[in-house]
Amino acid sequence: MRKLLLSSFCLLITTALFAQDNIPYAEKARQIQKDVWGNAAPEFKLTTVPANLANESAVILARSFSLQRTSKPRIKFMLITAGVTAKTVKLTTFHERVKINDKVALEGFSTLEYQKKLDQSRSFLFNKFANVHDTYIGAKIIKPNGTETIVNTGEEVLLKDEQKDQKGKLAIPGLQVGDILDYYISNTDITETGEGNSFRDNDNLFLLTDEYPVVYYSLDFQYNKKIHVQYIAANGAPRFEESNNDAGDLLMSLKLRNLPKYQSTFWASPLRQYPYLEVGSSYGSKMNTMFGYDYESNPNASRFENNEIGFEGTFKEYPGFDDIEKKLKDYFGSHKNLKNAPLDSVLKVLYDQWKFDVFCSYSGKELEDIGEMNYRQAQSRHAASIMSMMLTDLNIDNSVVLVASRNSNSLENVYNADDMSALLLINTSTPYYLCFDDVVTHFNEIPGRFQGEKVTVLYPKRHNAQKYSFQAGETTLPVAPAADNAVEENLQVSLLPSNAQKLKIIRTVKERGELRHSDQKLLLPVQDIDGGYQALAKGETLEKRLKKYPETKKMVDDFTFSFNKEKGDMIKNFTAEIKNKFEQDPEQVQDAKIMNTALENTDPVFQFGASFVLNNLVKKAGNNYIIDAGKLTGGFYKLEDKDRKRSIDIYMPCARSFKYTISIAIPPGYSAKGMEEMNVKKVNKTGSFASSAVVSGNNVIISVTRVYNNNFEKVADWPLLVNILDTASDFNTRKILLEKK
């Protein structure tokens, strides 16, 4: 399915049409179809692909996006008084005309999925506050001989069909390689609530490159004069042409031609490497102009000293802000003990208390999906503010560090506060970091997506409980070496006695650093995380915590049951991890266990194991057996032909290392052959790959190591990385022969 992240084009659809709620959906759909296809730009009549693009999988002949937004105040009468709310009508249309040149593109464009209807309106007393979303779609096929066929949208399949929530899927029947697909998705949103009126709810991002080349691309926006608008043009993106109509509406337009497809998505950071536009709007207060395009008029100004950024504003010591600090004093038993404790011990305990307070406090909604609890993220900017004030109160010198993820926009292109995170730097001869991230982040661990980033450092100064000021500086966050992000696997492999064409595997895994996070969150039962942090923080039991609050005091049995059930079902998550590793469904998954939870940095290696059976890795040749031993590492990435040449730098997840020790039992009456093919070594400045195999007693011992030295490489060193990748993927083809004596 082709994913649609935008919306699109024609500004001729009138607001009045959608303000009339009594018009049937089908009639609105017909009017939109007439407007979109009847008023499209001439480029939407193109049928010929430029000669230089003839070999592309698909070519976007024309694409357009339009957005029209009107907001105005509206009085709502309550029982005694009246209040003012904002009514917003927003219309967006995405329109695309694409030439399908091969089966890969055909599959991608063969269906459209969309949120057809969503009504989240609310009623209060005598008033209804509208919050309604409707989607209208259209598609037609243009054959090489010029005939056009309009797809019957009435043949959609409703994936969800509730009165106020409908999700649709439309197949495009008859679409073939060589055809042109002309389709649109038009959205209408009517709101009378806070939702939909802020910059956050109206943030549109356009990456000016695509999976396929784009011949013509237009962007058009229209906002009434009650709307505040800001945009940023990043990485060399062109700027909009701006004007006003007679009503004072702001009109923004941009016409682009011949946009190239992106060079690669493999180990790439698109918002660092490709031009993009981000456009936002709000009814009400203006956005901090230091985040928008006005910043360019004064490039020497600090982006982070304005109070509106939210840091100086949040540095106010409200009652209860220091609750965790009080628990810290209780932990050490007395103020004297706390004062005499080593700094790193104080910081670690304080951090454990924070994690326990944040991740082990419940509202009751967690019971709706226990499996998602381990994937919660902390609110880093809020947490950094509170923790910084507590550290200041403890006379511990600290700084707030503002950082943007290396997988997203750069700090220089921050558009709103959500585009960056905050962590704390403890200013000592040996610096410590407090990062407020996921549920398994360690004390003094910097998430991989922040490592090596240039950051802004804010040095807080306390004037009184309600006033802090800041001085700003810059630094660069350190990058953890490959040895700190490591995986070590040990596999004991044997032919299954009941079926020698299957392998019985006993596997243990040790993971540290960045590479442990995903498996920890998948495999650790919520109960173990809750109990682990309770022990670290010397905290209250689950029952006491739940009974402290009205919304959860009657849910003790429900939480206990759900926690126990989730832990009892852990074999399901182990099965998912094995399937993801070996790309097949394992059989007979048994003895699944966590040997070390690694919830704190003093014992940082996450360790787990299980036994299971894999199919499709053994072939029988007469009386002999051929084992695909090279695939027992789980398989290494095979570089696609389109990615072998590269023109952009390489953003990898982190510097990292892997070690595999595989012991294959030789059955009685057999000998092992092919070990010499396992002996491989490739080393260069970007990393290394090495493997070897020997016979030791009744076992073939295969040792494999793979290392990536850095989290970032310049494009000039891409050929060196290709050598490592090719050597590793070639290892996947290596085999061991068990030959009958």
Side-chain angles (χ1 to χ4, degrees):
M1 181 196 74
R2 174 75 167 162
K3 291 186 177 179
L4 301 172
L5 302 179
L6 308 176
S7 309
S8 103
F9 119 101
C10 162
L11 290 177
L12 299 178
I13 302 172
T14 63
T15 303
L17 173 67
F18 300 97
Q20 302 177 48
D21 296 333
N22 59 336
I23 298 178
Y25 180 92
E27 184 176 337
K28 290 184 181 181
R30 285 192 295 271
Q31 182 61 51
I32 289 174
Q33 184 180 103
K34 179 180 177 181
D35 286 339
V36 173
W37 283 336
N39 296 291
E43 286 80 3
F44 281 90
K45 300 297 183 182
L46 289 175
T47 58
T48 304
V49 171
N52 65 315
L53 303 178
N55 295 324
E56 296 290 342
S57 175
V59 177
I60 310 299
L61 297 173
R63 172 188 289 166
S64 63
F65 171 88
S66 73
L67 183 150
Q68 184 178 28
R69 181 182 176 190
T70 302
S71 292
K72 59 183 179 181
R74 187 168 185 174
I75 297 176
K76 290 283 186 176
F77 290 95
M78 306 300 179
L79 190 62
I80 299 176
T81 184
V84 178
T85 185
K87 180 176 181 179
T88 295
V89 178
K90 183 170 66 174
L91 316 174
T92 62
T93 305
F94 178 81
H95 185 193
E96 189 166 82
R97 187 177 179 92
V98 55
K99 176 69 181 300
I100 311 295
N101 286 338
D102 64 19
K103 291 184 178 180
V104 175
L106 177 65
E107 182 179 356
F109 286 96
S110 61
T111 59
L112 301 174
E113 291 188 19
Y114 47 96
Q115 178 76 53
K116 184 176 182 179
K117 293 183 178 181
L118 184 63
D119 187 347
Q120 296 178 308
S121 302
R122 297 195 298 265
S123 296
F124 180 73
L125 297 178
F126 305 111
N127 292 289
K128 181 179 180 180
F129 295 86
N131 188 359
V132 180
H133 170 92
D134 290 313
T135 297
Y136 305 85
I137 66 171
K140 61 182 177 181
I141 301 170
I142 299 93
K143 293 292 183 180
N145 63 8
T147 60
E148 296 188 2
T149 302
I150 295 178
V151 177
N152 181 7
T153 57
E155 296 180 352
E156 67 183 352
V157 175
L158 291 179
L159 304 176
K160 187 174 185 179
D161 189 10
E162 299 177 359
Q163 183 178 1
K164 294 186 176 183
D165 187 356
Q166 293 183 347
K167 294 181 180 180
K169 180 176 182 178
L170 179 68
I172 312 295
L175 185 65
Q176 297 176 324
V177 173
D179 292 347
I180 291 173
L181 175 65
D182 190 315
Y183 70 96
Y184 64 84
I185 293 189
S186 185
N187 301 292
T188 72
D189 293 275
I190 300 175
T191 62
E192 292 180 307
T193 63
E195 291 87 349
N197 288 320
S198 69
F199 277 96
R200 177 179 297 177
D201 297 320
N202 292 278
D203 193 347
N204 298 274
L205 190 148
F206 305 90
L207 194 64
L208 301 184
T209 186
D210 195 271
E211 180 180 1
Y212 306 110
V214 181
V215 179
Y216 170 79
Y217 190 6
S218 69
L219 294 167
D220 293 282
F221 296 83
Q222 180 175 346
Y223 299 96
N224 77 327
K225 55 187 177 182
K226 297 286 186 180
I227 304 294
H228 300 293
V229 182
Q230 284 190 220
Y231 79 88
I232 188 169
N235 302 336
R239 302 183 58 75
F240 288 101
E241 292 185 7
E242 299 181 25
S243 61
N244 296 93
N245 62 14
D246 293 341
D249 294 353
L250 173 65
L251 306 179
M252 298 165 56
S253 180
L254 182 63
K255 311 300 180 188
L256 301 169
R257 295 186 182 275
N258 301 319
L259 297 181
K261 65 179 181 181
Y262 47 67
Q263 196 278 325
S264 178
T265 57
F266 178 61
W267 286 345
S269 183
L271 297 188
R272 302 291 182 94
Q273 298 176 297
Y274 299 117
Y276 70 89
L277 294 157
E278 191 165 6
V279 186
S281 60
S282 174
Y283 176 83
S285 61
K286 290 185 178 181
M287 189 179 183
N288 177 10
T289 56
M290 301 308 287
F291 287 133
Y293 66 92
D294 288 348
Y295 170 69
E296 296 180 7
S297 65
N298 185 11
N300 294 320
S302 169
R303 298 167 72 84
F304 304 110
E305 291 181 352
N306 193 304
N307 286 345
E308 291 180 32
I309 194 172
F311 283 98
E312 289 193 12
T314 59
F315 271 71
K316 297 185 185 300
E317 299 173 10
Y318 56 85
F321 89 96
D322 57 349
D323 282 348
I324 297 175
E325 181 185 343
K326 294 175 182 176
K327 293 176 183 178
L328 174 70
K329 295 175 182 177
D330 292 339
Y331 183 97
F332 283 97
S334 69
H335 180 74
K336 181 179 179 181
N337 290 344
L338 172 60
K339 185 176 181 180
N340 293 332
L343 176 61
D344 60 340
S345 296
V346 173
L347 293 170
K348 181 187 173 304
V349 172
L350 186 65
Y351 187 68
D352 288 342
Q353 293 282 356
W354 171 81
K355 284 200 291 186
F356 178 63
D357 201 56
V358 170
F359 292 114
C360 300
S361 297
Y362 308 114
S363 67
K365 293 183 178 179
E366 296 83 4
L367 295 176
E368 297 174 5
D369 193 350
I370 288 291
E372 289 299 310
M373 286 184 63
N374 288 352
Y375 295 90
R376 291 169 294 166
Q377 293 284 130
Q379 297 177 355
S380 68
R381 299 187 307 279
H382 172 75
S385 299
I386 300 301
M387 187 68 79
S388 179
M389 289 190 291
M390 287 192 291
L391 292 174
T392 301
D393 192 50
L394 291 167
N395 295 316
I396 297 175
D397 188 11
N398 71 94
S399 304
V400 177
V401 175
L402 305 181
V403 58
S405 167
R406 60 199 305 272
N407 303 322
S408 185
N409 54 274
S410 65
L411 200 60
E412 289 76 15
N413 287 329
V414 161
Y415 182 74
N416 59 52
D418 288 339
D419 287 342
M420 60 184 178
S421 299
L423 51 93
L424 291 187
L425 168 62
I426 312 303
N427 300 311
T428 62
S429 57
T430 301
Y432 297 105
Y433 292 90
L434 300 182
C435 299
F436 312 99
D437 201 47
D438 67 20
V439 70
V440 294
T441 302
H442 286 167
F443 166 68
N444 205 29
E445 177 187 9
I446 301 173
R449 66 185 186 280
F450 299 146
Q451 293 179 19
E453 285 298 295
K454 183 179 178 182
V455 297
T456 293
V457 183
L458 301 178
Y459 302 93
K461 180 179 179 180
R462 184 184 188 277
H463 299 280
N464 55 54
Q466 297 297 304
K467 183 179 180 181
Y468 283 71
S469 63
F470 297 86
Q471 288 186 332
E474 292 183 346
T475 190
T476 300
L477 294 179
V479 178
D484 287 358
N485 302 306
V487 172
E488 182 178 343
E489 297 197 20
N490 187 295
L491 287 80
Q492 299 178 38
V493 182
S494 59
L495 300 182
L496 190 66
S498 61
N499 185 347
Q501 289 187 253
K502 296 185 177 183
L503 294 179
K504 173 68 178 292
I505 298 174
I506 301 173
R507 174 172 171 252
T508 59
V509 182
K510 297 179 180 179
E511 299 174 334
R512 66 166 62 238
E514 186 72 16
L515 299 185
R516 65 181 161 77
H517 283 243
S518 61
D519 284 338
Q520 270 184 295
K521 288 183 284 190
L522 174 65
L523 300 179
L524 276 177
V526 173
Q527 186 179 77
D528 287 6
I529 291 180
D530 183 279
Y533 286 144
Q534 178 189 324
L536 288 171
K538 297 181 182 178
E540 294 179 325
T541 64
L542 175 64
E543 182 177 359
K544 286 185 177 180
R545 278 175 275 141
L546 293 173
K547 286 186 174 180
K548 286 173 65 174
Y549 303 101
E551 61 269 27
T552 58
K553 67 179 181 180
K554 295 182 180 180
M555 293 185 175
V556 175
D557 290 342
D558 295 327
F559 270 88
T560 302
F561 173 81
S562 296
F563 279 17
N564 287 335
K565 185 178 184 302
E566 195 247 359
K567 185 168 184 175
D569 291 342
M570 64 187 295
I571 198 76
K572 177 180 65 176
N573 292 335
F574 272 80
T575 300
E577 189 276 334
I578 296 166
K579 180 180 179 180
N580 181 65
K581 177 74 176 181
F582 295 97
E583 298 182 340
Q584 63 172 282
D585 289 307
E587 302 172 4
Q588 303 176 35
V589 180
Q590 298 173 335
D591 302 320
K593 53 186 176 294
I594 306 291
M595 283 82 89
N596 186 37
T597 60
L599 291 178
E600 58 172 337
N601 70 329
T602 55
D603 197 3
V605 180
F606 180 54
Q607 187 172 349
F608 62 94
S611 66
F612 51 93
V613 173
L614 291 182
N615 205 348
N616 307 318
L617 294 178
V618 182
K619 295 181 179 65
K620 189 172 182 181
N623 292 324
N624 306 322
Y625 294 96
I626 301 172
I627 300 177
D628 284 329
K631 295 180 180 178
L632 289 171
T633 57
F636 299 124
Y637 182 79
K638 183 175 177 60
L639 200 62
E640 297 183 31
D641 289 341
K642 65 182 181 66
D643 290 323
R644 301 192 75 82
K645 292 184 179 180
R646 191 178 182 101
S647 60
I648 57 175
D649 293 332
I650 302 102
Y651 284 80
M652 288 187 282
C654 57
R656 57 212 184 278
S657 62
F658 304 84
K659 180 180 179 181
Y660 307 89
T661 302
I662 304 166
S663 176
I664 303 175
I666 304 172
Y670 284 81
S671 61
K673 303 290 180 63
M675 279 72 71
E676 62 281 356
E677 292 187 6
M678 292 284 174
N679 298 325
V680 178
K681 189 172 184 179
K682 179 72 68 173
V683 180
N684 60 48
K685 69 177 185 178
T686 67
S688 63
F689 181 89
S691 63
S692 63
V694 296
V695 174
S696 177
N698 295 323
N699 296 281
V700 177
I701 308 297
I702 302 172
S703 299
V704 182
T705 60
R706 179 169 55 116
V707 179
Y708 296 105
N709 291 331
N710 305 297
N711 69 345
F712 176 85
E713 300 285 0
K714 299 295 290 183
V715 67
D717 290 325
W718 176 239
L720 299 178
L721 269 175
V722 170
N723 285 337
I724 303 298
L725 288 166
D726 286 347
T727 303
S729 64
D730 182 63
F731 176 81
N732 292 153
T733 65
R734 305 302 169 92
K735 306 177 189 300
I736 291 293
L737 172 66
L738 297 179
E739 186 176 61
K740 185 72 173 179
K741 292 181 181 178

